[in-house]
Amino acid sequence: MMSEFLKEMKSGKWIAVLVCVAAFALLPIVLQEGYLSLVNEMLILAVAACGLNLMMGYAGMVSFGPAGLYAVGAYTTGLILVYTKIPFWLALAAGPIMAGVVSVVVGWFCVRLTHVYFSLLTLAFSQIIHTILFEWYDFTRGDDGIVDIPVPSFLSSITHYYYFSLVAICVCLFVLWKIVNSPFGKTLQALRENPERTEFIGINVRRYQLAVFIISGVFLGIAGALYCGFNKNVFPDFADMMKSTEMIVVCLMGGIYNFLGPVVGSVVYMFLDKLISSNTHYWPLVLGCVIIALLIFMRGGVVGFVSEKLAPRGEERG
Amino acid sequence: MILRVEKLKKTFGGLTAVNDVSFDLMEGELSSIIGPNGAGKTTLFNLLTGHIRPDEGRILFKERDITGFQPDRVCRQGIGRSFQRTNIFPKLTVFENVQVAILSIRRKSRSLFSTASRMLVGETMEILESIGLAEKRNVTAGLLAHGDQRLLEIGITLGTNPELVFLDEPTAGMSPEESWKAVELVQRLARERNLTLLFIEHDMEVVFGISEKVRVMHLGSILAEGTPEAVRADEEVQRIYLAEET
């Protein structure tokens, strides 16, 4: 399957991918632990954003509440590790599974609506999840969050966890890449472009929308579970609006019509975040301005912008 | 007989959009439904393709009752549709536009991990060649000229491998020259693939040239049915069209 994967990409492209992965793998040698954990956080955000973008960029369904499913993943793993003796790996796998199960229920309602109504319903569900995590003190410890989650000793060093999540993230991106290039992925794009027409090539639109909602939810759950193991603490604000906004902005920043757009977006986002918050307390203000600039001047995000500048003009015109 | 429509009726509030419409389509027939604006033609199409449910009546396709089927299921029975507005997938390439239709009808759309770009290439190219867009296969569909977009729309419909195709004003927005080319193409495709075609047209001239049978719709009902010559000579039809022009 791997050789097939490599054949599909133009040789230049896969060399670039290999170089990137190699560069990330070498980072622990050159970076201090503080920066390394920042990169780790960035990679986990990239998985969440790519999962969201499968639904937003490819299927054209804009969710305002991805953080809800992300938090379900994080809390499931965290709660299992704190309350039970279930091994770490199973707890880690339970996060995305639970996020998938919640996605089935949430998605079942959401795909009945379209456009802004769909988006608002996803927001409502993520607010419900946030409220449950916040208010159910006996179980989720509310505002205090779940702290000191036990992680196997060999994963407690930052470098070791970094390698672990780097592998997990590469696998996730590979699977997502296969999905977007599959018949299912193409059908999602058709659905985004023209749901009415898609129906009349024999596609049950709602069923496909529900499927992508669940798949996207599973990847958000993976990101949540990975972050739980990384951070060893989980808090209700994992599910709040700010976190959802962060994921949406990451997608927009990188470019929603490009597979690696959200990855580039998360690099740019983390960089801006740290750069700006180390100089001023007004990060959200700057973030707001960045969003406005993106939506007005760079609809295709960084990747869209760059590839437009690089592409020879009018070549694709029919 | 490929399609039988029995006493179809649809009302919206107090307005009866389609009233007691019955007709049969023979296999391989090229026929049309014409009528002034507001006659109920598009509503009839939406009933036949499952976009809206009839209040009364039945639709039988190859002797199977398909009344109340959802559009995706209607499509899978072997009924294709082209739309009045250009209705393609603008950001996909020309190739992908046709390919998604074929993937769907072959029940391959659910495949998550196979690579789409290598699937059903021959089948897709065959359709692109027959509509004359093979050379533009890698062009983003939204960048095609209007006439080519209409051709592509027909290509998508062919991708669903239909036996019966409803064409909703296929020449709308085309120049007269483009119209004739499109009509000739559709005629040729129908012959090659043994399709049954039903046109909806506002413009009488286009369809009269190719229809074997014309039905005239007025105020939700079928008013006249027959050969183009007979319909053209019908006094009541003349009255409706004249009344509309004045």
Side-chain angles (χ1 to χ4, degrees):
Chain A
M1 199 150 131
M2 194 63 196
S3 67
E4 210 179 279
F5 165 70
L6 294 177
K7 231 185 289 162
E8 276 153 25
M9 303 179 86
K10 293 181 187 99
S11 55
K13 256 187 187 171
W14 75 258
I15 290 171
V17 168
L18 281 184
V19 169
C20 271
V21 173
F24 274 109
L26 292 174
L27 277 183
I29 298 170
V30 290
L31 280 187
Q32 295 168 324
E33 288 210 326
Y35 286 109
L36 193 62
S37 81
L38 208 65
V39 175
N40 203 346
E41 213 175 307
M42 183 196 90
L43 288 173
I44 294 171
L45 179 60
V47 170
C50 283
L52 169 66
N53 200 46
L54 180 67
M55 184 161 84
M56 190 161 87
Y58 285 90
M61 300 150 69
V62 181
S63 167
F64 285 167
L69 296 166
Y70 173 83
V72 168
Y75 264 84
T76 305
T77 302
L79 286 168
I80 290 176
L81 288 174
V82 163
Y83 284 119
T84 70
K85 298 236 177 299
I86 291 172
F88 178 76
W89 305 108
L90 289 180
L92 203 67
I97 292 170
M98 191 63 193
V101 171
V102 174
S103 300
V104 173
V105 179
V106 173
W108 190 86
F109 288 101
C110 291
V111 301
R112 258 135 251 277
L113 303 179
T114 53
H115 306 294
V116 73
Y117 303 101
F118 168 84
S119 307
L120 289 176
L121 200 57
T122 58
L123 175 63
F125 275 107
S126 78
Q127 294 297 90
I128 291 172
I129 291 168
H130 180 254
T131 308
I132 293 171
L133 298 178
F134 195 85
E135 299 289 343
W136 194 2
Y137 192 86
D138 297 337
F139 185 54
T140 65
R141 301 184 199 159
D143 209 9
D144 300 338
I146 297 168
V147 293
D148 297 330
I149 295 165
V151 178
S153 53
F154 69 95
L155 279 180
S156 46
S157 103
I158 288 176
T159 309
H160 287 179
Y161 201 86
Y162 174 79
Y163 279 119
F164 165 65
S165 46
L166 184 62
V167 170
I169 285 151
C170 288
V171 172
C172 284
L173 292 183
F174 173 69
V175 171
L176 279 167
W177 195 86
K178 287 301 284 181
I179 293 176
V180 302
N181 286 294
S182 71
F184 180 78
K186 292 288 170 213
T187 306
L188 291 183
Q189 289 169 55
L191 220 149
R192 170 194 74 204
E193 293 293 300
N194 195 337
E196 187 197 17
R197 190 66 174 103
T198 310
E199 203 174 25
F200 222 82
I201 57 172
I203 297 292
N204 186 326
V205 170
R206 271 188 194 161
R207 198 176 294 163
Y208 277 76
Q209 287 177 330
L210 180 59
V212 71
F213 196 98
I214 297 166
I215 295 171
S216 162
V218 168
F219 280 96
L220 287 165
I222 292 174
L226 279 176
Y227 194 76
C228 167
F230 164 75
N231 203 36
K232 302 183 192 74
N233 304 296
V234 293
F235 301 104
D237 65 3
F238 284 18
D240 78 2
M241 272 279 320
M242 195 58 201
K243 188 73 193 167
S244 291
T245 313
E246 185 181 294
M247 293 177 193
I248 297 166
V249 170
V250 162
C251 291
L252 287 174
M253 223 176 230
I256 60 170
Y257 295 128
N258 188 286
F259 178 70
L260 287 176
V263 179
V264 174
S266 75
V267 175
V268 177
Y269 182 89
M270 290 301 264
F271 180 72
L272 283 180
D273 184 355
K274 296 306 159 191
L275 185 76
I276 294 162
S277 15
S278 62
N279 291 308
T280 162
H281 295 300
Y282 299 118
W283 161 238
L285 179 77
V286 178
L287 181 63
C289 295
V290 169
I291 297 174
I292 292 168
L294 277 173
L295 293 181
I296 295 176
F297 301 113
M298 274 166 71
R299 290 289 280 277
V302 173
V303 176
F305 186 77
V306 171
S307 57
E308 200 174 287
K309 293 284 162 210
L310 289 180
R313 261 164 216 287
E315 185 201 42
E316 289 280 272
R317 220 158 263 276
Chain B
M1 184 163 35
I2 189 162
L3 185 82
R4 158 160 274 181
V5 176
E6 283 176 3
K7 301 195 169 179
L8 222 50
K9 187 173 177 178
K10 180 73 193 176
T11 54
F12 297 112
L15 177 82
T16 306
V18 169
N19 192 12
D20 208 19
V21 167
S22 302
F23 62 90
D24 294 335
L25 290 183
M26 293 302 158
E27 222 173 313
E29 184 178 302
L30 256 86
S31 65
S32 56
I33 293 182
I34 62 165
N37 280 326
K41 302 186 300 282
T42 299
T43 306
L44 178 64
F45 254 38
N46 285 333
L47 289 170
L48 296 178
T49 52
H51 285 85
I52 49 179
R53 226 172 223 282
D55 298 332
E56 285 169 34
R58 288 204 306 164
I59 304 158
L60 299 166
F61 178 65
K62 295 197 291 185
E63 290 168 17
R64 181 170 184 192
D65 192 341
I66 60 160
T67 322
F69 277 23
Q70 293 295 314
D72 59 298
R73 220 172 142 204
V74 171
C75 177
R76 285 190 185 282
Q77 306 300 312
I79 297 181
R81 167 175 196 181
S82 95
F83 291 76
Q84 192 170 352
R85 284 178 301 109
T86 305
N87 219 332
I88 56 171
F89 308 114
K91 281 210 176 72
L92 301 187
T93 64
V94 167
F95 180 84
E96 288 167 336
N97 263 269
V98 174
Q99 192 198 25
V100 282
I102 305 180
L103 285 168
S104 163
I105 234 64
R106 301 274 179 96
R107 298 201 171 271
K108 297 256 162 63
S109 301
R110 278 182 221 154
S111 167
L112 267 179
F113 300 110
S114 45
T115 303
S117 58
R118 284 198 304 252
M119 294 169 76
L120 303 168
V121 174
E123 289 87 340
T124 307
M125 286 314 290
E126 191 222 309
I127 289 180
L128 288 180
E129 263 150 32
S130 69
I131 58 170
L133 288 179
E135 277 167 23
K136 295 178 179 166
R137 55 179 292 192
N138 291 323
V139 177
T140 306
L143 298 176
L144 289 175
H146 179 79
D148 282 348
Q149 291 192 359
R150 304 271 355 185
L151 293 179
L152 181 57
E153 149 105 59
I154 293 169
I156 297 171
T157 305
L158 289 179
T160 64
N161 196 24
E163 289 169 63
L164 166 63
V165 180
F166 299 128
L167 297 116
D168 194 353
E169 301 205 22
T171 61
M174 285 188 181
S175 68
E177 194 198 345
E178 280 176 328
S179 296
W180 282 115
K181 265 169 77 181
V183 165
E184 271 168 28
L185 172 76
V186 168
Q187 250 180 317
R188 175 170 62 79
L189 291 172
R191 252 195 331 268
E192 282 171 8
R193 290 165 188 264
N194 193 27
L195 302 175
T196 309
L197 298 182
L198 179 65
F199 291 86
I200 287 195
E201 265 298 341
H202 178 67
D203 178 2
M204 289 171 76
E205 293 313 313
V206 182
V207 287
F208 270 48
I210 57 169
S211 298
E212 291 153 10
K213 202 173 211 178
V214 178
R215 296 176 185 83
V216 184
M217 241 184 132
H218 184 52
L219 300 174
S221 306
I222 290 184
L223 192 84
E225 182 172 346
T227 61
E229 295 73 33
V231 167
R232 208 192 286 267
D234 190 296
E235 275 177 26
E236 213 170 347
V237 174
Q238 283 180 348
R239 193 176 53 75
I240 293 168
Y241 269 87
L242 283 174
E244 205 205 14
E245 273 163 28
T246 49

